[in-house]
Amino acid sequence: MNSPRFEVRGFNHVALVCSDMERTVDFYTNILGFPLVKTVDLPDGIGQHFFFDVGNGNSLAFFWFTDAPDGVPGISAPVEKPGFGEWTSAVSSLNHIAFDVPPEKFQDYRQKLKESGVRVGPLVNHDDSPSQIATEMHDGVYVRSFYFQDPDGILLEFACWMRAFGPLDVSHTPRTGADRRKPVSVND
């Protein structure tokens, strides 16, 4: 479905920041198999900007800045993968990127990552139950996934849709900023 206001064809690219471009290129090309399609040295020696083809005309891009501060797990990105520990992150942070993979190759891809030395989370069957996770496949499972991290701790997910969505899948009232619990200050 497309917006009546704008003809959006998907993502052109999502841009993240890495600490080591060489290590990032190695992981995304040699482990995940995403071709490196464009490299840029930024003006005035401030860094680099590299693009990987992730399929269907979409790209994943990385900046490497000479003066970038280190990420803060639990604030700028999740500390861990769902199922292994705390996976919340701060407002305006990137929580994770989910790559769409074919359902028939889903478990094989997980095994390939494990064989490449990547620590992967458990298989998750997402459904509408109170826990939102089914131990067995059933008609209510809408997506299957597993999580893993890149060398900088960016949370990634391989996911496959298991059914089409319908009107009953949009049934929750959006929450507001007033609904958020405010963090407790160290000085309180």
PDB file of all heavy atoms in Angstrom, residues 16-25 28 47-48 62-71 150-154:
ATOM      1  N   LEU A  16      23.665   4.462   9.495  1.00  0.00           N
ATOM      2  CA  LEU A  16      24.100   4.237  10.864  1.00  0.00           C
ATOM      3  C   LEU A  16      25.529   4.749  11.013  1.00  0.00           C
ATOM      4  O   LEU A  16      26.163   5.130  10.032  1.00  0.00           O
ATOM      5  CB  LEU A  16      24.045   2.742  11.181  1.00  0.00           C
ATOM      6  CG  LEU A  16      22.693   2.081  10.947  1.00  0.00           C
ATOM      7  CD1 LEU A  16      22.824   0.575  10.970  1.00  0.00           C
ATOM      8  CD2 LEU A  16      21.712   2.547  11.990  1.00  0.00           C
ATOM      9  N   VAL A  17      26.057   4.702  12.219  1.00  0.00           N
ATOM     10  CA  VAL A  17      27.433   5.125  12.472  1.00  0.00           C
ATOM     11  C   VAL A  17      28.204   3.935  13.031  1.00  0.00           C
ATOM     12  O   VAL A  17      27.729   3.250  13.940  1.00  0.00           O
ATOM     13  CB  VAL A  17      27.472   6.303  13.472  1.00  0.00           C
ATOM     14  CG1 VAL A  17      28.907   6.718  13.775  1.00  0.00           C
ATOM     15  CG2 VAL A  17      26.667   7.483  12.936  1.00  0.00           C
ATOM     16  N   CYS A  18      29.398   3.704  12.472  1.00  0.00           N
ATOM     17  CA  CYS A  18      30.246   2.605  12.942  1.00  0.00           C
ATOM     18  C   CYS A  18      31.541   3.151  13.524  1.00  0.00           C
ATOM     19  O   CYS A  18      31.921   4.294  13.270  1.00  0.00           O
ATOM     20  CB  CYS A  18      30.540   1.622  11.806  1.00  0.00           C
ATOM     21  SG  CYS A  18      31.588   2.261  10.489  1.00  0.00           S
ATOM     22  N   SER A  19      32.250   2.312  14.279  1.00  0.00           N
ATOM     23  CA  SER A  19      33.523   2.725  14.879  1.00  0.00           C
ATOM     24  C   SER A  19      34.718   2.331  14.027  1.00  0.00           C
ATOM     25  O   SER A  19      35.804   2.887  14.195  1.00  0.00           O
ATOM     26  CB  SER A  19      33.678   2.109  16.272  1.00  0.00           C
ATOM     27  OG  SER A  19      33.778   0.697  16.182  1.00  0.00           O
ATOM     28  N   ASP A  20      34.530   1.360  13.124  1.00  0.00           N
ATOM     29  CA  ASP A  20      35.641   0.822  12.336  1.00  0.00           C
ATOM     30  C   ASP A  20      35.076   0.409  10.977  1.00  0.00           C
ATOM     31  O   ASP A  20      34.438  -0.634  10.853  1.00  0.00           O
ATOM     32  CB  ASP A  20      36.236  -0.374  13.082  1.00  0.00           C
ATOM     33  CG  ASP A  20      37.440  -0.990  12.417  1.00  0.00           C
ATOM     34  OD1 ASP A  20      37.456  -1.113  11.167  1.00  0.00           O
ATOM     35  OD2 ASP A  20      38.370  -1.396  13.139  1.00  0.00           O
ATOM     36  N   MET A  21      35.288   1.242   9.949  1.00  0.00           N
ATOM     37  CA  MET A  21      34.688   0.974   8.643  1.00  0.00           C
ATOM     38  C   MET A  21      35.216  -0.329   8.041  1.00  0.00           C
ATOM     39  O   MET A  21      34.456  -1.086   7.443  1.00  0.00           O
ATOM     40  CB  MET A  21      34.907   2.144   7.682  1.00  0.00           C
ATOM     41  CG  MET A  21      34.109   2.023   6.380  1.00  0.00           C
ATOM     42  SD  MET A  21      32.304   2.048   6.600  1.00  0.00           S
ATOM     43  CE  MET A  21      32.007   3.818   6.635  1.00  0.00           C
ATOM     44  N   GLU A  22      36.490  -0.615   8.204  1.00  0.00           N
ATOM     45  CA  GLU A  22      37.043  -1.850   7.645  1.00  0.00           C
ATOM     46  C   GLU A  22      36.353  -3.076   8.244  1.00  0.00           C
ATOM     47  O   GLU A  22      35.972  -4.003   7.533  1.00  0.00           O
ATOM     48  CB  GLU A  22      38.553  -1.909   7.906  1.00  0.00           C
ATOM     49  CG  GLU A  22      39.209  -3.146   7.313  1.00  0.00           C
ATOM     50  CD  GLU A  22      40.702  -3.173   7.542  1.00  0.00           C
ATOM     51  OE1 GLU A  22      41.147  -2.851   8.671  1.00  0.00           O
ATOM     52  OE2 GLU A  22      41.424  -3.513   6.598  1.00  0.00           O
ATOM     53  N   ARG A  23      36.159  -3.080   9.559  1.00  0.00           N
ATOM     54  CA  ARG A  23      35.475  -4.190  10.235  1.00  0.00           C
ATOM     55  C   ARG A  23      34.011  -4.271   9.801  1.00  0.00           C
ATOM     56  O   ARG A  23      33.463  -5.357   9.601  1.00  0.00           O
ATOM     57  CB  ARG A  23      35.589  -3.991  11.748  1.00  0.00           C
ATOM     58  CG  ARG A  23      35.002  -5.116  12.572  1.00  0.00           C
ATOM     59  CD  ARG A  23      35.209  -4.876  14.041  1.00  0.00           C
ATOM     60  NE  ARG A  23      34.416  -3.710  14.460  1.00  0.00           N
ATOM     61  CZ  ARG A  23      34.349  -3.278  15.697  1.00  0.00           C
ATOM     62  NH1 ARG A  23      35.040  -3.860  16.653  1.00  0.00           N
ATOM     63  NH2 ARG A  23      33.597  -2.234  16.004  1.00  0.00           N
ATOM     64  N   THR A  24      33.379  -3.117   9.634  1.00  0.00           N
ATOM     65  CA  THR A  24      31.990  -3.067   9.180  1.00  0.00           C
ATOM     66  C   THR A  24      31.861  -3.638   7.771  1.00  0.00           C
ATOM     67  O   THR A  24      30.966  -4.437   7.490  1.00  0.00           O
ATOM     68  CB  THR A  24      31.464  -1.623   9.255  1.00  0.00           C
ATOM     69  OG1 THR A  24      31.468  -1.223  10.631  1.00  0.00           O
ATOM     70  CG2 THR A  24      30.066  -1.486   8.687  1.00  0.00           C
ATOM     71  N   VAL A  25      32.765  -3.250   6.863  1.00  0.00           N
ATOM     72  CA  VAL A  25      32.743  -3.782   5.497  1.00  0.00           C
ATOM     73  C   VAL A  25      32.934  -5.296   5.527  1.00  0.00           C
ATOM     74  O   VAL A  25      32.221  -6.030   4.834  1.00  0.00           O
ATOM     75  CB  VAL A  25      33.815  -3.092   4.614  1.00  0.00           C
ATOM     76  CG1 VAL A  25      33.979  -3.826   3.283  1.00  0.00           C
ATOM     77  CG2 VAL A  25      33.441  -1.631   4.377  1.00  0.00           C
ATOM     78  N   TYR A  28      29.521  -6.929   6.887  1.00  0.00           N
ATOM     79  CA  TYR A  28      28.349  -6.825   6.014  1.00  0.00           C
ATOM     80  C   TYR A  28      28.570  -7.468   4.640  1.00  0.00           C
ATOM     81  O   TYR A  28      27.617  -7.941   4.032  1.00  0.00           O
ATOM     82  CB  TYR A  28      27.880  -5.373   5.911  1.00  0.00           C
ATOM     83  CG  TYR A  28      27.147  -4.952   7.171  1.00  0.00           C
ATOM     84  CD1 TYR A  28      27.827  -4.363   8.236  1.00  0.00           C
ATOM     85  CD2 TYR A  28      25.788  -5.203   7.335  1.00  0.00           C
ATOM     86  CE1 TYR A  28      27.175  -4.018   9.408  1.00  0.00           C
ATOM     87  CE2 TYR A  28      25.130  -4.863   8.501  1.00  0.00           C
ATOM     88  CZ  TYR A  28      25.825  -4.276   9.532  1.00  0.00           C
ATOM     89  OH  TYR A  28      25.163  -3.946  10.702  1.00  0.00           O
ATOM     90  N   GLY A  47      35.414  12.040   7.769  1.00  0.00           N
ATOM     91  CA  GLY A  47      35.041  10.640   7.836  1.00  0.00           C
ATOM     92  C   GLY A  47      34.740  10.027   6.489  1.00  0.00           C
ATOM     93  O   GLY A  47      35.205  10.500   5.444  1.00  0.00           O
ATOM     94  N   GLN A  48      33.942   8.973   6.530  1.00  0.00           N
ATOM     95  CA  GLN A  48      33.546   8.228   5.332  1.00  0.00           C
ATOM     96  C   GLN A  48      32.056   7.907   5.383  1.00  0.00           C
ATOM     97  O   GLN A  48      31.450   7.909   6.456  1.00  0.00           O
ATOM     98  CB  GLN A  48      34.330   6.914   5.234  1.00  0.00           C
ATOM     99  CG  GLN A  48      35.813   7.083   5.068  1.00  0.00           C
ATOM    100  CD  GLN A  48      36.520   5.739   4.934  1.00  0.00           C
ATOM    101  OE1 GLN A  48      36.294   4.821   5.701  1.00  0.00           O
ATOM    102  NE2 GLN A  48      37.385   5.653   3.931  1.00  0.00           N
ATOM    103  N   PHE A  62      26.615   3.338   6.163  1.00  0.00           N
ATOM    104  CA  PHE A  62      27.326   3.613   7.410  1.00  0.00           C
ATOM    105  C   PHE A  62      28.169   4.859   7.258  1.00  0.00           C
ATOM    106  O   PHE A  62      28.799   5.071   6.227  1.00  0.00           O
ATOM    107  CB  PHE A  62      28.240   2.440   7.797  1.00  0.00           C
ATOM    108  CG  PHE A  62      27.481   1.295   8.385  1.00  0.00           C
ATOM    109  CD1 PHE A  62      26.947   0.325   7.561  1.00  0.00           C
ATOM    110  CD2 PHE A  62      27.279   1.209   9.749  1.00  0.00           C
ATOM    111  CE1 PHE A  62      26.219  -0.728   8.093  1.00  0.00           C
ATOM    112  CE2 PHE A  62      26.556   0.169  10.288  1.00  0.00           C
ATOM    113  CZ  PHE A  62      26.025  -0.802   9.456  1.00  0.00           C
ATOM    114  N   PHE A  63      28.151   5.669   8.302  1.00  0.00           N
ATOM    115  CA  PHE A  63      29.103   6.756   8.442  1.00  0.00           C
ATOM    116  C   PHE A  63      30.207   6.276   9.372  1.00  0.00           C
ATOM    117  O   PHE A  63      29.957   5.534  10.330  1.00  0.00           O
ATOM    118  CB  PHE A  63      28.455   7.997   9.083  1.00  0.00           C
ATOM    119  CG  PHE A  63      27.605   8.794   8.164  1.00  0.00           C
ATOM    120  CD1 PHE A  63      26.216   8.727   8.236  1.00  0.00           C
ATOM    121  CD2 PHE A  63      28.179   9.652   7.228  1.00  0.00           C
ATOM    122  CE1 PHE A  63      25.423   9.490   7.397  1.00  0.00           C
ATOM    123  CE2 PHE A  63      27.384  10.417   6.380  1.00  0.00           C
ATOM    124  CZ  PHE A  63      26.011  10.331   6.466  1.00  0.00           C
ATOM    125  N   TRP A  64      31.412   6.703   9.109  1.00  0.00           N
ATOM    126  CA  TRP A  64      32.518   6.596  10.047  1.00  0.00           C
ATOM    127  C   TRP A  64      33.026   8.018  10.192  1.00  0.00           C
ATOM    128  O   TRP A  64      33.419   8.650   9.213  1.00  0.00           O
ATOM    129  CB  TRP A  64      33.613   5.670   9.506  1.00  0.00           C
ATOM    130  CG  TRP A  64      34.822   5.655  10.385  1.00  0.00           C
ATOM    131  CD1 TRP A  64      35.026   4.883  11.496  1.00  0.00           C
ATOM    132  CD2 TRP A  64      35.976   6.474  10.264  1.00  0.00           C
ATOM    133  NE1 TRP A  64      36.235   5.177  12.057  1.00  0.00           N
ATOM    134  CE2 TRP A  64      36.848   6.166  11.324  1.00  0.00           C
ATOM    135  CE3 TRP A  64      36.372   7.473   9.367  1.00  0.00           C
ATOM    136  CZ2 TRP A  64      38.075   6.788  11.500  1.00  0.00           C
ATOM    137  CZ3 TRP A  64      37.595   8.096   9.537  1.00  0.00           C
ATOM    138  CH2 TRP A  64      38.436   7.749  10.594  1.00  0.00           C
ATOM    139  N   PHE A  65      32.919   8.551  11.409  1.00  0.00           N
ATOM    140  CA  PHE A  65      33.356   9.912  11.690  1.00  0.00           C
ATOM    141  C   PHE A  65      34.628   9.867  12.537  1.00  0.00           C
ATOM    142  O   PHE A  65      34.693   9.101  13.512  1.00  0.00           O
ATOM    143  CB  PHE A  65      32.281  10.689  12.458  1.00  0.00           C
ATOM    144  CG  PHE A  65      31.011  10.912  11.696  1.00  0.00           C
ATOM    145  CD1 PHE A  65      29.815  10.372  12.136  1.00  0.00           C
ATOM    146  CD2 PHE A  65      31.003  11.670  10.528  1.00  0.00           C
ATOM    147  CE1 PHE A  65      28.632  10.593  11.442  1.00  0.00           C
ATOM    148  CE2 PHE A  65      29.828  11.895   9.828  1.00  0.00           C
ATOM    149  CZ  PHE A  65      28.639  11.347  10.281  1.00  0.00           C
ATOM    150  N   THR A  66      35.603  10.706  12.198  1.00  0.00           N
ATOM    151  CA  THR A  66      36.850  10.721  12.962  1.00  0.00           C
ATOM    152  C   THR A  66      36.623  11.115  14.414  1.00  0.00           C
ATOM    153  O   THR A  66      37.360  10.679  15.295  1.00  0.00           O
ATOM    154  CB  THR A  66      37.887  11.682  12.326  1.00  0.00           C
ATOM    155  OG1 THR A  66      37.298  12.974  12.205  1.00  0.00           O
ATOM    156  CG2 THR A  66      38.339  11.189  10.966  1.00  0.00           C
ATOM    157  N   ASP A  67      35.597  11.937  14.679  1.00  0.00           N
ATOM    158  CA  ASP A  67      35.359  12.432  16.037  1.00  0.00           C
ATOM    159  C   ASP A  67      34.076  11.897  16.676  1.00  0.00           C
ATOM    160  O   ASP A  67      33.571  12.491  17.635  1.00  0.00           O
ATOM    161  CB  ASP A  67      35.292  13.969  16.027  1.00  0.00           C
ATOM    162  CG  ASP A  67      36.609  14.602  15.608  1.00  0.00           C
ATOM    163  OD1 ASP A  67      37.661  14.018  15.908  1.00  0.00           O
ATOM    164  OD2 ASP A  67      36.581  15.676  14.963  1.00  0.00           O
ATOM    165  N   ALA A  68      33.553  10.784  16.190  1.00  0.00           N
ATOM    166  CA  ALA A  68      32.298  10.261  16.744  1.00  0.00           C
ATOM    167  C   ALA A  68      32.508   9.719  18.158  1.00  0.00           C
ATOM    168  O   ALA A  68      33.463   8.988  18.410  1.00  0.00           O
ATOM    169  CB  ALA A  68      31.745   9.157  15.862  1.00  0.00           C
ATOM    170  N   PRO A  69      31.617  10.075  19.084  1.00  0.00           N
ATOM    171  CA  PRO A  69      31.717   9.477  20.419  1.00  0.00           C
ATOM    172  C   PRO A  69      31.274   8.014  20.368  1.00  0.00           C
ATOM    173  O   PRO A  69      30.562   7.600  19.449  1.00  0.00           O
ATOM    174  CB  PRO A  69      30.736  10.314  21.260  1.00  0.00           C
ATOM    175  CG  PRO A  69      29.772  10.869  20.272  1.00  0.00           C
ATOM    176  CD  PRO A  69      30.524  11.028  18.971  1.00  0.00           C
ATOM    177  N   ASP A  70      31.711   7.233  21.340  1.00  0.00           N
ATOM    178  CA  ASP A  70      31.287   5.838  21.425  1.00  0.00           C
ATOM    179  C   ASP A  70      29.798   5.764  21.742  1.00  0.00           C
ATOM    180  O   ASP A  70      29.252   6.654  22.413  1.00  0.00           O
ATOM    181  CB  ASP A  70      32.060   5.095  22.518  1.00  0.00           C
ATOM    182  CG  ASP A  70      33.507   4.836  22.134  1.00  0.00           C
ATOM    183  OD1 ASP A  70      33.811   4.824  20.916  1.00  0.00           O
ATOM    184  OD2 ASP A  70      34.331   4.651  23.041  1.00  0.00           O
ATOM    185  N   GLY A  71      29.155   4.707  21.272  1.00  0.00           N
ATOM    186  CA  GLY A  71      27.760   4.455  21.616  1.00  0.00           C
ATOM    187  C   GLY A  71      27.639   4.098  23.090  1.00  0.00           C
ATOM    188  O   GLY A  71      28.610   3.670  23.721  1.00  0.00           O
ATOM    189  N   ASP A 150      25.858  -6.719  15.032  1.00  0.00           N
ATOM    190  CA  ASP A 150      27.042  -6.491  14.200  1.00  0.00           C
ATOM    191  C   ASP A 150      28.225  -6.192  15.128  1.00  0.00           C
ATOM    192  O   ASP A 150      28.066  -6.168  16.357  1.00  0.00           O
ATOM    193  CB  ASP A 150      26.762  -5.407  13.154  1.00  0.00           C
ATOM    194  CG  ASP A 150      27.001  -3.984  13.596  1.00  0.00           C
ATOM    195  OD1 ASP A 150      27.128  -3.716  14.815  1.00  0.00           O
ATOM    196  OD2 ASP A 150      27.069  -3.107  12.717  1.00  0.00           O
ATOM    197  N   PRO A 151      29.423  -5.982  14.589  1.00  0.00           N
ATOM    198  CA  PRO A 151      30.590  -5.765  15.448  1.00  0.00           C
ATOM    199  C   PRO A 151      30.505  -4.552  16.373  1.00  0.00           C
ATOM    200  O   PRO A 151      31.186  -4.516  17.399  1.00  0.00           O
ATOM    201  CB  PRO A 151      31.738  -5.592  14.447  1.00  0.00           C
ATOM    202  CG  PRO A 151      31.298  -6.330  13.233  1.00  0.00           C
ATOM    203  CD  PRO A 151      29.806  -6.131  13.179  1.00  0.00           C
ATOM    204  N   ASP A 152      29.683  -3.567  16.063  1.00  0.00           N
ATOM    205  CA  ASP A 152      29.506  -2.408  16.943  1.00  0.00           C
ATOM    206  C   ASP A 152      28.327  -2.581  17.898  1.00  0.00           C
ATOM    207  O   ASP A 152      27.961  -1.649  18.608  1.00  0.00           O
ATOM    208  CB  ASP A 152      29.318  -1.130  16.121  1.00  0.00           C
ATOM    209  CG  ASP A 152      30.644  -0.561  15.651  1.00  0.00           C
ATOM    210  OD1 ASP A 152      31.547  -0.385  16.485  1.00  0.00           O
ATOM    211  OD2 ASP A 152      30.774  -0.297  14.438  1.00  0.00           O
ATOM    212  N   GLY A 153      27.696  -3.745  17.897  1.00  0.00           N
ATOM    213  CA  GLY A 153      26.566  -3.986  18.786  1.00  0.00           C
ATOM    214  C   GLY A 153      25.234  -3.534  18.226  1.00  0.00           C
ATOM    215  O   GLY A 153      24.230  -3.540  18.943  1.00  0.00           O
ATOM    216  N   ILE A 154      25.183  -3.141  16.944  1.00  0.00           N
ATOM    217  CA  ILE A 154      23.910  -2.759  16.330  1.00  0.00           C
ATOM    218  C   ILE A 154      23.037  -4.004  16.259  1.00  0.00           C
ATOM    219  O   ILE A 154      23.462  -5.052  15.767  1.00  0.00           O
ATOM    220  CB  ILE A 154      24.127  -2.136  14.939  1.00  0.00           C
ATOM    221  CG1 ILE A 154      24.892  -0.816  15.068  1.00  0.00           C
ATOM    222  CG2 ILE A 154      22.788  -1.936  14.214  1.00  0.00           C
ATOM    223  CD1 ILE A 154      25.361  -0.232  13.749  1.00  0.00           C
TER     224      ILE A 154
END
